[in-house]
């Protein structure tokens, strides 16, 4: 495994270096377009080891002085937990950053453990003291997931602020619950008990609607910022006439700020990340509720598996210290991080901040392209109650 990882890093480095031929800027054209069909290897607690292809593309739609670098990352992966993962996620900055197009497309045939709602759910299976006959703790779920999110944002004058609208669609199907041990005859799965109580189907459900978005984009490079900040307010409306099983609305808040500690070595910095996701009205099906690790790139909650915590409302924060490991070069770097999350469970009167779920860890960074800061990241995170995980990805966590 170590030899394979070393080969992939070296292959990626040579491919990106070869792609860095100087290209002169031409107005109204796609400039300096680069695509690299990277072999992919990754790891996280929810998927195990992932293998496949992760094509990555970068380009500019305008003058580099006034136009951010656009990027697209695809994944065609198979995991050691017998999951198939196909995705495409993109941030496209049009000429002079006048418009931004944000896309998140996915098709997963996957599985994931679920533990129940709120911040106080146990690891081991036990009867819920507030709901006789319903058991919480680790329960495995198989499901298929189709996602189509596309957002268009218009810049306000010469500012860093954007307003825009988007369409979002999530379809969960073939949902199947199981546990790998003997269970009581009266056992009822958490997912099924919740969906039945809210009037949703147990095997398939859809969330479809529009988003109203306000963005401040002030980062120097979106995939690996050294300075400045990013903010997002996204209000989602999921009406039944657009295909949602039930009408609902949610509010997503996302803020990130980066503080350089050395003006001569901007890779030496502190990054902070705050994330809030709230059910405002109506009802969402179980898998549509706010959950750890369900941000666009699945990077929140290092120290826990994706989906370990879930609830009607979620608040998450993280602080990360990033630093170079070489005196004059930026190829190798390191990081230490701490995070914390809190979730609500309205059915049992568990409010936000009744309990916090902290995590912490360390990481290694290998920058394989200095111009657009494409970086291989390897992190080990620790959570409460024996939760931990290894995370191998492309680009910084936030």
């Amino acid at each position: 495994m170590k030899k394979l990882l070393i080969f992939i890093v070296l292959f990626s480095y040579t491919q990106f270096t070869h792609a860095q031929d100087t290209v002169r800027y031409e107005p109204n054209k796609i400039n300096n377009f680069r695509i690299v069909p990277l072999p992919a290897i990754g790891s996280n607690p929810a998927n195990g080891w992932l293998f496949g292809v992760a094509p990555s593309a970068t380009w500019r739609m305008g003058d580099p002085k006034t136009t951010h670098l656009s990027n697209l990352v695809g994944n065609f992966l198979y995991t050691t937990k017998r999951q198939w993962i196909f995705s495409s996620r993109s941030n496209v900055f049009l000429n002079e950053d006048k418009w931004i197009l944000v896309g998140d497309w996915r098709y997963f045939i996957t599985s994931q453990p679920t533990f129940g709602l709120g911040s106080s759910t146990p690891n081991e299976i036990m009867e819920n003291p507030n709901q006789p006959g319903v058991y919480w703790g680790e329960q495995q779920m198989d499901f298929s997931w189709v996602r189509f999110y596309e957002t268009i944002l218009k810049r306000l004058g010469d500012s860093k602020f954007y307003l825009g609208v988007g369409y979002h669609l999530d379809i969960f199907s073939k949902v199947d619950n199981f546990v790998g041990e003997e269970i009581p005859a009266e056992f009822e799965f958490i997912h099924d008990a919740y969906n039945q109580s809210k009037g949703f189907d147990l095997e398939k459900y859809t969330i479809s609607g529009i988003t109203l978005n306000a963005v401040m984009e002030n980062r120097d490079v979106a995939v690996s910022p050294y300075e400045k900040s990013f903010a997002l307010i996204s209000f989602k409306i999921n009406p039944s006439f657009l295909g949602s099983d039930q009408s609902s609305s949610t509010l997503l808040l996302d803020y990130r700020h980066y503080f350089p500690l050395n003006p001569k070595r901007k890779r030496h910095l502190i990054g902070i990340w705050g994330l809030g996701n709230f059910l405002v009205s109506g009802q969402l099906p179980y898998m549509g509720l706010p959950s750890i690790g369900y941000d666009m790139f699945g990077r929140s909650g290092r120290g826990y598996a994706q989906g370990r915590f879930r609830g009607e409302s979620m608040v998450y924060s993280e602080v990360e210290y990033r630093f170079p490991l070489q005196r004059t070069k930026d190829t190798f770097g390191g990081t230490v991080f701490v995070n914390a999350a809190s979730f609500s469970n309205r059915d049992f009167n568990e409010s936000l901040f009744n309990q916090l779920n902290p995590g912490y860890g360390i990481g290694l960074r290998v920058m394989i392209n200095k111009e657009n800061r494409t970086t291989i990241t390897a992190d080990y995170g620790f959570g409460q109650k024996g939760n931990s995980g290894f995370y191998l990805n492309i680009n910084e966590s936030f």
Side-chain angles (χ1 to χ4, degrees), residues 222-345:
V223 298
S224 182
Y226 285 168
E227 58 185 342
K228 301 183 180 178
S229 55
F230 168 86
L232 165 67
I233 301 174
S234 181
F235 185 64
K236 294 185 178 182
I237 306 167
N238 310 305
S240 57
F241 66 80
L242 283 182
S244 296
D245 289 3
Q246 294 186 34
S247 295
S248 63
S249 63
T250 63
L251 177 64
L252 176 66
L253 306 175
D254 189 335
Y255 181 74
R256 310 171 188 202
H257 202 107
Y258 307 90
F259 300 92
L261 301 179
N262 185 337
K264 295 182 180 179
R265 296 298 303 278
K266 288 189 176 181
R267 196 177 182 186
H268 191 219
L269 63 94
I270 291 177
I272 63 170
W273 182 16
L275 184 66
N277 199 353
F278 312 96
L279 176 61
V280 176
S281 66
Q283 301 290 347
L284 286 171
Y286 189 87
M287 292 298 291
L289 292 168
S291 181
I292 201 77
Y294 271 76
D295 51 286
M296 181 173 174
F297 290 96
R299 302 301 180 84
S300 60
R302 283 175 291 177
Y304 299 94
Q306 184 186 55
R308 174 59 184 86
F309 298 104
R310 191 182 304 271
E312 294 92 352
S313 294
M314 163 190 168
V315 172
Y316 176 80
S317 62
E318 182 162 345
V319 178
E320 184 169 78
Y321 171 45
R322 301 172 187 171
F323 49 90
L325 291 176
Q326 297 164 287
R327 185 180 297 274
T328 59
K329 297 182 179 180
D330 286 324
T331 304
F332 294 98
T335 181
V336 293
F337 60 87
V338 293
N339 59 55
S342 182
F343 292 80
S344 68
N345 184 340

Side-chain angles (χ1 to χ4, degrees), residues 29-278:
K29 289 187 178 181
I30 296 177
N31 293 277
N32 212 13
F33 181 82
R34 302 164 185 163
I35 183 169
V36 182
L38 292 173
I41 179 172
S43 177
N44 62 63
N47 304 114
W49 285 93
L50 306 92
F51 305 92
V53 179
S56 174
T58 58
W59 67 96
R60 289 191 193 273
M61 303 293 289
D63 190 332
K65 296 179 181 178
T66 59
T67 307
H68 274 80
L69 192 71
S70 297
N71 69 88
L72 181 149
V73 177
N75 286 294
F76 304 90
L77 305 171
Y78 182 73
T79 81
T80 52
K81 294 188 178 182
R82 297 184 295 180
Q83 304 158 337
W84 291 95
I85 296 175
F86 308 103
S87 68
S88 170
R89 282 163 279 195
S90 59
N91 285 278
V92 180
F93 295 85
L94 301 190
N95 187 32
E96 297 183 348
D97 290 349
K98 291 181 179 179
W99 297 83
I100 303 177
L101 309 178
V102 182
D104 183 359
W105 306 355
R106 310 182 193 186
Y107 176 58
F108 290 3
I109 303 174
T110 188
S111 59
Q112 183 179 110
T114 188
F115 298 79
L117 303 187
S119 298
S120 56
T121 54
N123 289 335
E124 65 281 359
I125 293 178
M126 61 177 61
E127 188 172 17
N128 189 326
N130 299 304
Q131 199 172 8
V134 177
Y135 286 71
W136 59 5
E138 184 174 355
Q139 300 168 28
Q140 196 69 28
M141 298 177 60
D142 287 346
F143 59 95
S144 296
W145 180 18
V146 173
R147 165 173 283 189
F148 177 81
Y149 284 15
E150 195 66 39
T151 301
I152 181 169
L153 300 157
K154 176 69 171 68
R155 186 176 180 178
L156 302 180
D158 294 328
S159 72
K160 301 295 184 181
F161 294 91
Y162 296 78
L163 295 178
V165 297
Y167 174 73
H168 64 274
L169 172 69
D170 285 297
I171 302 174
F172 296 92
S173 62
K174 300 180 181 178
V175 180
D176 184 29
N177 303 269
F178 62 93
V179 294
E181 59 183 54
E182 293 296 325
I183 57 177
E186 69 275 13
F187 187 98
E188 186 174 9
F189 290 100
I190 303 165
H191 168 273
D192 293 354
Y194 174 87
N195 269 19
Q196 284 181 333
S197 70
K198 306 302 181 184
F200 291 100
D201 190 80
L202 304 186
E203 297 183 1
K204 182 179 180 179
Y205 35 85
T206 299
I207 307 166
S208 173
I210 60 173
T211 58
L212 308 176
N213 305 279
V215 168
M216 180 190 69
E217 177 55 88
N218 198 29
R219 295 172 292 185
D220 53 345
V221 175
V223 298
S224 182
Y226 285 168
E227 58 185 342
K228 301 183 180 178
S229 55
F230 168 86
L232 165 67
I233 301 174
S234 181
F235 185 64
K236 294 185 178 182
I237 306 167
N238 310 305
S240 57
F241 66 80
L242 283 182
S244 296
D245 289 3
Q246 294 186 34
S247 295
S248 63
S249 63
T250 63
L251 177 64
L252 176 66
L253 306 175
D254 189 335
Y255 181 74
R256 310 171 188 202
H257 202 107
Y258 307 90
F259 300 92
L261 301 179
N262 185 337
K264 295 182 180 179
R265 296 298 303 278
K266 288 189 176 181
R267 196 177 182 186
H268 191 219
L269 63 94
I270 291 177
I272 63 170
W273 182 16
L275 184 66
N277 199 353
F278 312 96

Side-chain angles (χ1 to χ4, degrees), residues 9-20:
V9 172
L10 292 176
F11 177 84
S12 303
Y13 181 80
T14 57
Q15 290 295 315
F16 272 102
T17 302
H18 179 72
Q20 291 185 54

